[in-house]
Amino acid sequence: PGVRPLTDYLDLTARFREERDKNVWTILIGSLAMLNRLITPEMRPGLEALVRDRVAPALTVLGWDARSSEDELARQLRGDLIRALGTLGNDRSVQAQAAERYGEHAHGKATVDPNVLPALIAVLASSGDPARYTDFVERFRAATTPQEEQRYLYALTAFAQPELIAQTLERTINGEIRTQDAPFVVRSLLLTVQARE
């Protein structure tokens, strides 16, 4: 009693495509992230498609840019949706938009809402290549605030290529990543499907 098939739950998530409540989306995205950690690699494209189907309409309604009339929860939701689409949904258009917006921000051509910047960095890390990894390592080393340092440090754990995962693990052992941070970095790595494998 009280137990339903997973397919019933996934069908239910279709009802939330245009949901605007951050708390609802936190639960939905969290459950999809957990499912991503449980499924086999051959099932992942199906989950990515489902995430795109569920999350893209909500981001379309909210848009990429903050409005002056929005409250803080709406701004936070925008970042959550971008992160989910670009990482769990492996949405190429979101990844391209994230790269463009991050590039403009990094070169001082545009400002990015503080709620969206961490999402852009997460998306770029999860879809990143060795050049992006090197850039993020340099930004971690050159960070001027603890928040910025932590943001780029934990972004290193999201890169999917085995050689980049190995570099991050090496940094936890060789002292480049402080002793007090290293266990949390390893934990973050182990929560990713690629590093766990």
Side-chain angles (χ1 to χ4, degrees), residues 15 18 24 37 46 53 56 64 72 79 81 87 89 93 96 121 124 132 139 147 171-173 189:
R15 297 175 181 255
E18 295 184 21
V24 172
R37 288 196 287 271
D53 177 74
W64 277 76
E72 185 65 19
L81 297 175
T87 59
S93 65
I121 292 169
L124 295 178
R132 180 72 69 190
R139 290 179 184 277
Q147 181 183 25
R171 286 183 164 86
T172 67
I173 296 168
L189 276 168

Side-chain angles (χ1 to χ4, degrees), residues 82-125:
I82 290 168
R83 182 189 308 255
L85 272 173
T87 59
L88 285 173
N90 197 24
D91 187 310
R92 303 288 191 225
S93 65
V94 168
Q95 292 166 357
Q97 179 79 268
E100 181 180 331
R101 287 173 179 259
Y102 178 82
E104 289 174 355
H105 170 77
H107 294 101
K109 296 178 181 174
T111 58
V112 173
D113 185 275
N115 295 293
V116 171
L117 183 60
L120 299 183
I121 292 169
V123 169
L124 295 178

Side-chain angles (χ1 to χ4, degrees), residues 135-149:
D135 177 53
F136 281 14
V137 167
E138 291 307 314
R139 290 179 184 277
F140 157 66
R141 290 177 180 155
T144 57
T145 67
Q147 181 183 25
E148 182 183 19
E149 180 188 62

Side-chain angles (χ1 to χ4, degrees), residues 2 4 11 16 39 42-43 49-50 56-57 88 117 124 129 131-132 135 145 148 150 167 181-182:
R4 306 284 308 196
D11 289 343
F16 296 95
I39 61 175
E42 59 271 9
M43 299 171 79
L50 184 130
L88 285 173
L117 183 60
L124 295 178
D129 59 12
R132 180 72 69 190
D135 177 53
T145 67
E148 182 183 19
Q150 292 292 297
Q167 286 183 43
D181 292 328

Side-chain angles (χ1 to χ4, degrees), residues 1-10:
V3 177
R4 306 284 308 196
L6 176 60
T7 52
D8 287 359
Y9 174 72
L10 295 177

